[in-house]
């Protein structure tokens, strides 16, 4: 069974700084996929970025990048140049198994 | 527009009164699932369906039922709701896109059981 661990319940970060949200995973499947979702206060789940276990390069999507370290079983989300609109809950997931989330607050 | 819809978006009900939360997707996805979200617990899968007439339990199925009579619809049924089922519920659908099982989420249903 898969397990996703997000050890940071909450983070406060100054605007324009880079942010790293931690995620470690545990799966016995040789082929797996890691997702990050954003949930703003309005409640919807927004897909941000995906990393496949066999992808050679770390995924990037605009200001989002994924620091994928397979040997350490970690898939940390990096947000560059944070903005006030980045304040939200962030969830890491391995396919259909979700972590408990990190609440990110960007401070002006 | 590709989307997953849920209804109702908000519901306050009383213990024991049967309710159904509908979910519909217009993307012809085979896979659909229901999650509940509770503070500190993240999203936990309740039930999922791989295709029409094929459903299976997720991590927290107790107190819930589902059906998948049509590909597009996947209703969640609470036969006798209890206060511990007060939660935020999400329906999701997905189809294999290459190796990416990207899930599309509905807007959520906030349920309060008094």
């Amino acid at each position: 069974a898969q397990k996703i661990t997000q050890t940071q319940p909450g983070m406060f970060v100054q605007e324009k700084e880079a942010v790293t949200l931690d995620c470690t995973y545990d799966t016995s499947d040789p082929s797996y996929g890691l997702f990050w979702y954003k949930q703003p206060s309005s409640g919807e789940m927004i897909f941000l970025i995906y990393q496949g276990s066999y992808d050679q390069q770390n995924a990037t999507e605009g200001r989002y990048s994924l620091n994928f370290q397979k040997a350490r079983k970690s898939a940390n989300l990096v947000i560059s140049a944070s903005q006030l609109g980045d304040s939200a809950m962030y969830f890491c997931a391995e396919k259909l198994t979700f972590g408990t989330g990190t609440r990110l607050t960007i401070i002006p | 527009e590709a989307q997953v819809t849920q209804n109702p978006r908000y519901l306050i009900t009383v213990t024991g009164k049967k309710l159904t939360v509908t979910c519909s997707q217009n993307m012809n996805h085979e896979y659909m699932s229901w999650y509940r979200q509770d503070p500190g617990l993240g999203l936990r899968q309740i039930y999922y369906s791989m295709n029409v007439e094929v459903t299976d339990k997720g991590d927290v199925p107790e107190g819930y039922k589902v059906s998948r009579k049509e590909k597009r619809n996947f209703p969640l049924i609470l036969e006798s709701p209890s206060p511990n089922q007060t939660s935020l519920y999400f329906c999701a659908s997905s189809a294999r896109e290459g190796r990416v099982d990207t899930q599309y989420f509905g807007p959520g249903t906030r349920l309060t059981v008094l």
Side-chain angles (χ1 to χ4, degrees):
Chain A
Q2 295 93 337
K3 183 179 179 182
I4 299 292
T5 303
Q6 294 180 255
T7 57
Q8 306 152 311
M11 288 183 72
F12 289 81
V13 174
Q14 200 78 40
E15 189 180 8
K16 298 181 185 174
E17 296 291 313
V19 181
T20 298
L21 303 180
D22 295 341
C23 172
T24 58
Y25 60 92
D26 187 9
T27 177
S28 55
D29 292 337
S31 176
Y32 52 89
L34 297 155
F35 297 80
W36 277 92
Y37 294 89
K38 173 183 179 181
Q39 185 182 42
S41 57
S42 51
E44 72 268 32
M45 296 289 283
I46 302 168
F47 165 72
L48 294 178
I49 195 167
Y50 167 82
Q51 179 83 45
S53 57
Y54 292 117
D55 292 343
Q56 295 296 315
Q57 294 186 327
N58 287 348
T60 60
E61 290 285 348
R63 292 187 300 114
Y64 304 109
S65 61
L66 210 151
N67 183 2
F68 182 48
Q69 299 188 44
K70 201 169 181 178
R72 294 186 177 185
K73 293 194 173 183
S74 74
N76 299 339
L77 176 70
V78 180
I79 306 174
S80 63
S82 59
Q83 302 170 356
L84 296 178
D86 293 333
S87 294
M89 281 288 287
Y90 288 81
F91 291 96
C92 179
E94 197 286 306
K95 291 185 183 175
L96 307 175
T97 301
F98 284 74
T100 52
T102 296
R103 181 170 296 282
L104 175 65
T105 303
I106 306 300
I107 307 165
Chain B
E1 179 192 353
Q3 61 180 355
V4 179
T5 57
Q6 292 178 230
N7 279 293
R9 294 290 312 280
Y10 301 90
L11 178 61
I12 300 174
T13 188
V14 295
T15 298
K17 186 175 181 182
K18 180 180 178 180
L19 66 92
T20 299
V21 184
T22 64
C23 173
S24 183
Q25 51 95 1
N26 62 1
M27 295 166 279
N28 202 35
H29 285 168
E30 292 183 348
Y31 194 105
M32 297 185 73
S33 58
W34 276 101
Y35 294 88
R36 60 177 290 174
Q37 182 182 4
D38 303 290
L41 297 176
L43 275 76
R44 294 178 293 168
Q45 194 178 48
I46 302 170
Y47 267 95
Y48 64 94
S49 169
M50 303 280 280
N51 213 326
V52 176
E53 301 293 0
V54 181
T55 63
D56 211 343
K57 296 177 181 179
D59 297 321
V60 288
E62 291 77 22
Y64 304 95
K65 285 175 58 178
V66 293
S67 69
R68 188 88 182 274
K69 294 188 172 66
E70 308 164 279
K71 200 171 189 178
R72 63 181 292 127
N73 296 323
F74 190 44
L76 179 70
I77 303 156
L78 285 72
E79 294 272 2
S80 182
S82 61
N84 65 12
Q85 292 178 298
T86 292
S87 187
L88 176 61
Y89 290 86
F90 286 99
C91 179
S93 72
S94 64
R96 282 197 168 264
E97 297 173 350
R99 293 177 287 117
V100 180
D101 293 322
T102 302
Q103 289 207 88
Y104 296 81
F105 283 85
T109 295
R110 191 167 291 280
L111 172 66
T112 301
V113 183
L114 302 175

